[in-house]
Amino acid sequence: MDVINDTNPKKDYTFHLAAFNGPLELLMHLIEKNKIDIYDIPIAELTRQYLDYLEAMREMDMEVTSAFLVMAATLLQIKSRMMLPKKKAEENEEEEDPRQELVERLLEYRRFKEVSEVLGSMADLQEHFVGRAPLDLPVRHLPPESLDLNLLLTAFREVMSVKGEEAGLPAAIIRPEPYHIEDKMEEIEVLLRERGGRMRFEDAFERGTRGELVVTFLALLELMKQQSVTAQQSHLFGTITIVWRNERRGVEDERE
């Protein structure tokens, strides 16, 4: 890389001719190298260093693009505006700093440079990983187990709505029969055994009075609590199925 050293006794600086892709990059390099406050740029010194760089490019037969020349003209214009004396009428008025537009462009360039560096580091990190196209894996939808109690209650209400009480019989002469949850649990197990360990929710409530059906429902909940059976539903709003768990069913089969 070609290097040119400035021989100015007041300030030494180095040009790296092949390191700059544009005028703003060169200006930012000069500002950082000379530790210049970007909000208070000594425009005369910065312009001199910038023009020295362009002259070095010409001496080495390097192409000086139009962007560098436009920036040189801009720096010279700012320098000339700052050298002009203020009019007496304007001395007390606050005049806009001729360097303000240049400062804003440099700040914007610095922000973009910082973002590009972060993105570059992320790209370098990503190079250590190898992507793979997604595989076509088989999807198997298993029926959900342990359905929500509210869903079971809704199904039970639907069963009760089609059953109803026996009409026309005087309630005073019918003595209610006692029903026990343990007995209903055994009846449900018998039904499951007869149906191969699987039956519809409605099959557990084929007959009985309202009180008997309520006890049957409580017996079913108790079996689910003991993890003897589970309630499954193949899809939303589908038929609820009562299934005997494999562990319990295997024990029953060994007893037989």
Side-chain angles (χ1 to χ4, degrees):
M1 182 179 293
D2 298 307
V3 177
I4 294 179
N5 293 317
D6 185 90
T7 57
N8 189 334
K10 296 181 179 179
K11 189 172 296 184
D12 294 330
Y13 54 91
T14 303
F15 292 120
H16 299 276
L17 297 181
F20 308 110
N21 297 321
L24 288 176
E25 186 176 1
L26 171 59
L27 287 177
M28 187 60 66
H29 167 74
L30 296 175
I31 288 173
E32 293 175 354
K33 185 173 182 62
N34 295 279
K35 298 180 180 180
I36 296 174
D37 183 2
I38 197 171
Y39 294 99
D40 188 17
I41 297 175
I43 199 67
E45 178 64 19
L46 185 63
T47 302
R48 184 186 64 80
Q49 294 186 21
Y50 185 88
L51 294 176
D52 288 345
Y53 174 81
L54 297 188
E55 184 62 27
M57 291 179 64
R58 291 192 183 94
E59 291 178 358
M60 299 185 65
D61 294 329
M62 297 178 62
E63 181 183 0
V64 180
T65 62
S66 59
F68 283 93
L69 298 177
V70 170
M71 180 57 69
T74 302
L75 292 174
L76 291 172
Q77 182 184 24
I78 296 173
K79 178 182 176 181
S80 61
R81 289 178 60 188
M82 295 189 67
M83 293 176 63
L84 290 175
K86 285 186 177 182
K87 296 180 181 180
K88 293 183 179 180
E90 298 177 354
E91 287 181 355
N92 297 329
E93 297 180 4
E94 185 176 352
E95 185 180 0
E96 182 180 357
D97 193 335
R99 301 169 295 178
Q100 184 62 33
E101 183 178 354
L102 178 63
V103 170
E104 292 176 357
R105 292 178 62 184
L106 288 170
L107 291 174
E108 185 177 7
Y109 172 78
R110 187 168 64 180
R111 285 194 294 268
F112 277 100
K113 184 178 179 181
E114 292 173 352
V115 172
S116 64
E117 290 176 355
V118 173
L119 294 177
S121 61
M122 293 174 63
D124 294 338
L125 180 62
Q126 189 65 28
E127 289 181 354
H128 297 284
F129 301 92
V130 178
R132 184 179 66 179
L135 301 177
D136 294 331
L137 299 177
V139 180
R140 298 179 180 178
H141 298 283
L142 299 177
E145 297 186 0
S146 303
L147 299 181
D148 186 81
L149 178 59
N150 293 328
L151 185 59
L152 294 176
L153 286 172
T154 301
F156 180 65
R157 292 192 188 98
E158 293 177 357
V159 172
M160 294 292 288
S161 65
V162 298
K163 293 292 182 180
E165 290 285 2
E166 294 293 337
L169 297 178
I173 63 175
I174 299 179
R175 187 173 183 178
E177 298 181 7
Y179 302 107
H180 301 284
I181 293 179
E182 293 78 6
D183 297 336
K184 292 300 179 182
M185 290 171 63
E186 292 181 2
E187 290 182 11
I188 294 175
E189 291 177 345
V190 170
L191 289 174
L192 282 171
R193 189 178 295 110
E194 292 175 352
R195 291 167 169 77
R198 179 183 295 269
M199 68 178 181
R200 296 183 307 165
F201 181 83
E202 296 85 352
D203 294 342
F205 308 96
E206 290 183 345
R207 58 184 178 274
T209 62
R210 182 177 294 273
E212 184 179 1
L213 295 178
V214 171
V215 176
T216 302
F217 181 67
L218 295 176
L220 177 60
L221 296 180
E222 184 63 26
L223 286 171
M224 295 177 63
K225 180 180 178 181
Q226 296 178 4
Q227 297 186 351
S228 299
V229 302
T230 183
Q232 298 181 352
Q233 192 176 38
S234 59
H235 57 276
L236 189 63
F237 305 119
T239 301
I240 298 177
T241 305
I242 306 301
V243 181
W244 210 337
R245 286 188 177 271
N246 294 334
E247 311 87 52
R248 176 63 181 275
R249 186 177 180 185
V251 173
E252 295 296 334
D253 292 341
E254 291 178 0
R255 290 179 180 177
E256 295 178 357

